[in-house]
Amino acid sequence: MTQHPEIKYILKSAKTGRATVAVNIRESPITYYHSRGWLDEHQRDAGEIFRDLWEAALIGNRAINWENVYGVSAKEDLTPRQAEAMHELRRIMRETNRIGRALLIAVCGEGKHVAEFEKQAGWRQRYGIERLREALDDVAECRGLIKRKLSPK
């Protein structure tokens, strides 16, 4: 059996204790970065949560209506799921800084690679991954996936 490097994931089965499931790790930058060891489990989960919320907040073929996210305009044309997703995105955005928000939107929401962001921002190579990890930690903490300590022991 040939193994494809872009597909891997292992889950535990209740009956046998192990089951292998194929997942395309190149489908999103978050799963790819996790497979390379650049993101840990909670960061990957936070990225997937943000991505799911981003997709749920989309209105038809149009982009997200930011006036609805920030509560400026009427929400009567939204489905309950879209309104919930926009509310949660607003909550997450408040917990991240400006750079973190831009990275979350570009990488998790729009599926762009960090290298594109680094090039546009004029950053050194791999600095974007460091900043993305910080932003994903903010999301993970906001969603209760982790609890960070404020001061070292």
Side-chain angles (χ1 to χ4, degrees), residues 28-34 39 43-44 47-48 107-108 132 136:
S28 85
I30 294 298
T31 54
Y32 176 73
Y33 299 149
H34 178 259
L39 300 177
Q43 291 165 335
R44 185 213 49 215
E48 293 300 326
V107 177
C108 301
L132 178 63
L136 291 171

Side-chain angles (χ1 to χ4, degrees), residues 28-96:
S28 85
I30 294 298
T31 54
Y32 176 73
Y33 299 149
H34 178 259
S35 75
R36 304 287 296 184
W38 299 342
L39 300 177
D40 61 25
E41 296 290 323
H42 77 266
Q43 291 165 335
R44 185 213 49 215
D45 292 346
E48 293 300 326
I49 287 168
F50 188 92
R51 179 179 174 205
D52 290 345
L53 290 169
W54 181 268
E55 289 175 357
L58 293 175
I59 302 168
N61 290 332
R62 296 181 294 154
I64 291 175
N65 182 338
W66 289 105
E67 291 178 354
N68 286 340
V69 170
Y70 288 106
V72 177
S73 67
K75 298 175 180 66
E76 56 269 350
D77 61 337
L78 299 177
T79 66
R81 177 66 183 129
Q82 288 171 322
E84 275 179 39
M86 287 181 179
H87 174 75
E88 190 59 22
L89 280 173
R90 180 175 51 239
R91 194 169 77 85
I92 287 171
M93 296 293 204
R94 284 189 200 130
E95 298 296 321
T96 59

Side-chain angles (χ1 to χ4, degrees), residues 1 20 22 27 38 46 70 122 149:
M1 181 174 142
T20 303
E27 190 235 341
W38 299 342
Y70 288 106
K149 294 179 182 173

